[in-house]
Amino acid sequence: MKKSGFVALIGRPNVGKSTFLNSVLGLKVSIVTDKPQTTRDRISGVYTDERGQIVFVDSPGIHDPKAALNRYMVREAMQAMEECDVIIHMTDDKMFRFLEEEVLVTEALARAKQRKIFVINKIDMMTVADREKILEWILPRCSYDKVFDTNAVNGFGLEDVVNYLFQVLPEGPLYYPEDYVTDRSERFLCKEIIREKLFQSLREEVPYSVAVLVEEMRDVPEKNMVYVRANIYVERESQKGIVIGKKGEHLKKIGRLAREEMEFLFGKKVYLDLHVKVEKGWSRKEWVIRRLGY
Ligand SMILES: Nc1nc2c(ncn2[C@@H]2O[C@H](COP(=O)(O)OP(=O)(O)OP(=O)(O)O)[C@@H](O)[C@H]2O)c(=O)[nH]1
Ligand SMILES: [Mg+2]
């Protein structure tokens, strides 16, 4: 009999949840940037070996949601937590700087009945004393079955987490085929790749005003190529100018970076057709975020 189950990655924004998922899988399924609130949706990443299958569910960082988009993000995180067998609560070296968000995470965790493990990520950024301070604060507030130290970038500690999960998960079926890595479609991955390049290169409020929708995606067999047409939505006319850049240079750069990554993903040439549109104040409107896929 094999082991299997669902494991939710929960934490404040920017602690390294998506990096952790990609590192465990050895494959990028969830986008990563140096900015908080990068991930907006739940994304499953499926890890399979001879012991069984772990379905990791990456989730948006928990924060105080003000706009409609942010409420959607936090709902996604809460749902990931409800539907899992084990919760990984991840934190990082900036915990005390963003303590209000950490409190939101621990409050949500206190309501969850599942087995919880605490992962102190970015251990490379901490002293032994920093680590102790984190544990002193967290342990009286929440009960964990186990604590792990990790560096999600270089992979330190990840194997220990996976080994432990296989110990505690129940016997069960493989939920997905053995070669399956994510529940998300190629269309979704394309939209996220474009959003990652935008998120990485834009500043201040602009990344948070960006949404991407893939309008068309089709194979062009005679050219052994994939054609992708996507719209980039921003909230204001001035942001459209920023995304396009002087003489279109910025949009061209985004397009090149995204196309290269899609070509790697699909193993063939990609023609990427990008358009920028203004959808006034979209992130604050419940009905518009739904139209944009949230
Ligand atoms: N030094 C160091 N940096 C890390 C580590 N893990 C992740 N990072 C960096 O932390 C930043 C945030 O990583 P993400 O994986 O996007 O974080 P996240 O928790 O998914 O963030 P949200 O999606 O915004 O909630 C990136 O710049 C990563 O390269 C680590 O162990 N050590
Ligand atoms: Mg993330």
Side-chain angles (χ1 to χ4, degrees), residues 11-20 30-40 58-62 90 121-125 150-154:
R12 285 172 16 242
N14 205 240
V15 296
K17 301 177 293 299
S18 303
T19 309
F20 179 99
S30 190
I31 64 170
V32 168
T33 78
D34 58 358
K35 298 184 180 67
Q37 298 179 21
T38 298
T39 305
R40 290 180 179 169
D58 187 17
S59 73
I62 292 175
M90 182 176 288
N121 189 41
K122 306 191 191 176
I123 199 73
D124 54 306
M125 305 299 283
T150 59
N151 175 337
V153 172
N154 76 5

Side-chain angles (χ1 to χ4, degrees), residues 142-289:
C142 213
S143 64
Y144 300 97
D145 284 290
K146 200 99 175 144
V147 175
F148 292 95
D149 299 342
T150 59
N151 175 337
V153 172
N154 76 5
F156 170 83
L158 302 188
E159 206 184 324
D160 294 338
V161 177
V162 171
N163 289 344
Y164 176 77
L165 290 171
F166 273 124
Q167 276 175 34
V168 299
L169 283 174
E171 287 181 347
L174 299 190
Y175 293 99
Y176 296 102
E178 277 177 49
D179 56 355
Y180 204 86
V181 284
T182 180
D183 65 334
R184 291 294 183 167
S185 65
E186 288 181 340
R187 240 174 210 259
F188 180 87
L189 298 179
C190 281
K191 133 183 152 151
E192 289 290 271
I193 289 169
I194 299 164
R195 205 166 60 77
E196 180 187 73
K197 306 312 172 202
L198 289 162
F199 228 78
Q200 276 166 346
S201 74
L202 295 169
R203 285 182 301 152
E204 285 155 29
E205 89 294 354
V206 194
Y208 303 99
S209 296
V210 164
V212 177
L213 258 192
V214 172
E215 296 287 338
E216 187 181 352
M217 184 170 171
R218 59 182 159 83
D219 263 310
V220 188
E222 63 276 18
K223 290 189 176 154
N224 191 29
M225 189 182 83
V226 184
Y227 172 81
V228 180
R229 182 164 56 87
N231 287 340
I232 298 168
Y233 292 92
V234 290
E235 304 199 271
R236 286 199 294 275
E237 210 53 55
S238 60
Q239 295 172 335
K240 182 173 173 178
I242 294 171
V243 169
I244 293 172
K246 243 188 231 147
K247 295 188 189 149
E249 283 301 330
H250 184 253
L251 189 62
K252 227 186 272 172
K253 185 184 111 192
I254 296 296
R256 178 173 49 77
L257 293 171
R259 176 180 51 76
E260 284 168 1
E261 193 164 323
M262 290 175 195
E263 288 180 340
F264 178 76
L265 180 71
F266 299 137
K268 55 171 108 167
K269 285 256 167 259
V270 168
Y271 185 92
L272 179 59
D273 191 6
L274 288 179
H275 302 269
V276 186
K277 301 196 186 273
V278 179
E279 179 72 62
K280 287 221 163 62
W282 69 263
S283 71
R284 289 188 299 278
K285 298 177 195 156
E286 213 53 71
W287 63 278
V288 187
I289 65 160

Side-chain angles (χ1 to χ4, degrees), residues 41-99:
D41 310 87
R42 269 173 298 157
I43 299 166
S44 297
V46 186
Y47 177 90
T48 310
D49 71 17
E50 65 289 348
R51 293 170 288 184
Q53 191 168 72
I54 305 172
V55 183
F56 288 97
V57 184
D58 187 17
S59 73
I62 292 175
H63 59 286
D64 181 15
K66 300 241 155 65
L69 174 68
N70 302 80
R71 285 195 293 276
Y72 165 83
M73 289 163 66
V74 173
R75 273 200 311 271
E76 284 285 284
M78 296 303 168
Q79 202 156 338
M81 196 157 31
E82 271 165 34
E83 294 170 358
C84 69
D85 302 295
V86 179
I87 298 171
I88 292 182
H89 172 192
M90 182 176 288
T91 199
D92 70 354
D93 56 310
K94 307 242 167 51
M95 190 180 102
F96 289 106
R97 205 188 297 174
F98 298 101
L99 203 55

